[in-house]
Amino acid sequence: MADTEEPGRSWLLRLVIAFAFAQGAVSMARPAVSYRALSLGADERAIGVITGVYALLPLFAAVPLGRRTDHGRCAPLLPLGVVLIAGGCALSGTAGSLPAMAAWSGVMGLGHLCFVIGAQSIVARQSAPAEQDRNFGHFTIGASLGQLIGPIAAGYVISERDGALARTSALALVVSAAVAAASFVSLWRIEHRTAPDARAAARADKVPVGRILRTRGVPAGIFISLAVLSATDILTAYLPVVGEHRSIAPATIGLLLSLRAAATIACRLVMTPMLRLLGRTALLTTTCLLAGLLCAGIALPVPVWAMATMLAVLGFCLGVGQPLSMTTVVQAAPAEARSTALALRLTGNRLGQVAAPASAGVIAGVAGTAAPFVMLGALLLAGAGLGMRGGRARTADATPAVPAPAPAPVPRSELPAVNRNRT
């Protein structure tokens, strides 16, 4: 009989806190890496390569890490991820060349991948099916908090005055390493200590990636996650460009981006009542549809107050896609390969982080800076269609077969006499 140890009822809260620190460190370090590279003489192309390495390196590790997690414990990936994040941040701050910056950026990305795969797998394993939407929603609050606070902290520490960019960007990276290390405080007794099931391990090794990707619901979940994350990344990268063209002050753009992140947090706090009111399919489809229209609307020359309103509603809608896409993938994938399916979802996210900005750059160069938002609108509208189609398919699969009606009982008065008189 397997030895078990309960992690306590507060495991999800502690996981959210740890994720907030880890995500905050990464969100603080990524702009600091760009500023540090600029101080070392990097041009736009070099910064693009360094940024791409962060997303590309984890592509090769995602599926093996998912396989390992499917037939083992999830918790060891969390401290490993924190160590890699903190090490990548600190060593980026002391790097003296652009190739070294790229290498440590890749280490940071690998650490973030390790942490997220381990954390998502814990939520999937330790949540009852009826609680997965709620728990994934609460889990992603940690990411939203980190995305809200990290860039603000980086901007506070980094300064270009008096040629201090090299020193202050390095300081920001060291501070981000300390922020990552703070997540260790919440990583105790998060996972149920259970002995691995050898038969489940053997089955997990036999589930090919192709079969997982062909499972109904998994491709839709991956695509929706990719579309939502691409929208968040491109919004962060290109809204300053739009602001420059429309003479909107950088401080105002920063407040608009913070408003978007705050609306995402608010969405995830009320995820449970929204699910109870609308259901998963209707909520996912409606928010993707509305987010697509709002992304396209940002391309219009609207005043700042209208843009703020659109970004607040957009942030609220984007808060739905990530947690519900996690649940969609977890519940659709084979039970013995759920961590691998989550790793494939993260692989799709990383591909989106590489391909979407590159595509947006090409489109912006040809059609103007507002054009990438129209592209995002099309992506999210496609995600809404996939969400609706997947919901209909799940409903059809869940509809039970109608049993044949039972024969009506024969009245006692109509039974043969031999039967009526039998005792």
Side-chain angles (χ1 to χ4, degrees), residues 33-248:
V33 164
S34 297
Y35 283 116
R36 175 71 176 168
L38 287 172
S39 71
L40 294 176
D43 57 11
E44 291 81 0
R45 182 178 301 177
I47 290 177
V49 170
I50 293 171
T51 303
V53 170
Y54 172 89
L56 279 174
L57 186 59
L59 287 177
F60 303 99
V63 172
L65 284 172
R67 293 284 194 201
R68 179 242 171 247
T69 307
D70 272 321
H71 55 79
R73 293 184 59 213
C74 310
L77 284 180
L78 303 183
L80 174 62
V82 171
V83 168
L84 291 175
I85 291 171
C89 292
L91 292 170
S92 294
T94 59
S97 66
L98 296 179
M101 290 287 299
W104 297 126
S105 179
V107 170
M108 189 194 313
L110 183 61
H112 186 259
L113 178 78
C114 289
F115 189 98
V116 172
I117 288 179
Q120 289 182 4
S121 299
I122 288 174
V123 177
R125 285 187 186 180
Q126 297 183 178
S127 303
E131 298 175 342
Q132 286 178 344
D133 286 323
R134 182 200 66 190
N135 287 355
F136 274 124
H138 290 169
F139 166 72
T140 51
I141 289 174
S144 297
L145 286 171
Q147 292 167 356
L148 175 65
I149 298 171
I152 296 174
Y156 179 78
V157 175
I158 298 171
S159 173
E160 296 182 272
R161 296 178 181 177
D162 301 324
L165 183 61
R167 177 178 57 81
T168 56
S169 60
L171 176 62
L173 287 164
V174 173
V175 171
S176 64
V179 172
S183 62
F184 276 118
V185 176
S186 298
L187 292 182
W188 50 277
R189 294 185 63 199
I190 280 181
E191 184 182 20
H192 290 279
R193 299 286 300 271
T194 58
D197 185 346
R199 290 176 296 176
R203 289 195 304 269
D205 288 337
K206 294 178 182 178
V207 180
V209 170
R211 177 187 159 192
I212 298 173
L213 291 175
R214 287 192 300 269
T215 303
R216 179 179 294 170
V218 171
I222 291 175
F223 183 86
I224 291 170
S225 178
L226 183 154
V228 170
L229 185 64
S230 297
T232 303
D233 278 5
I234 294 178
L235 192 66
T236 303
Y238 278 86
L239 196 62
V241 181
V242 172
E244 187 69 19
H245 281 76
R246 300 181 188 175
S247 300
I248 302 174

Side-chain angles (χ1 to χ4, degrees), residues 383-403:
L386 285 174
M388 182 181 298
R389 181 180 177 185
R392 287 176 178 172
R394 284 192 299 271
T395 301
D397 290 344
T399 302
V402 178

Side-chain angles (χ1 to χ4, degrees), residues 10 22 64 86 104 118 147 158 170 218 276 323 345 363 381 387 406:
S10 63
W104 297 126
Q147 292 167 356
I158 298 171
V218 171
R276 191 179 300 118
R345 175 186 166 277
I363 293 173
L381 290 176

Side-chain angles (χ1 to χ4, degrees), residues 3-29:
D3 179 37
T4 62
E5 181 183 351
E6 298 294 329
R9 298 179 63 181
S10 63
W11 66 269
L12 183 59
L13 175 60
R14 287 183 279 113
L15 188 60
V16 169
I17 293 171
F19 193 24
F21 279 114
Q23 183 65 55
V26 171
S27 299
M28 184 178 181

Side-chain angles (χ1 to χ4, degrees), residues 355-373:
S359 302
V362 172
I363 293 173
V366 174
T369 56
F373 296 102

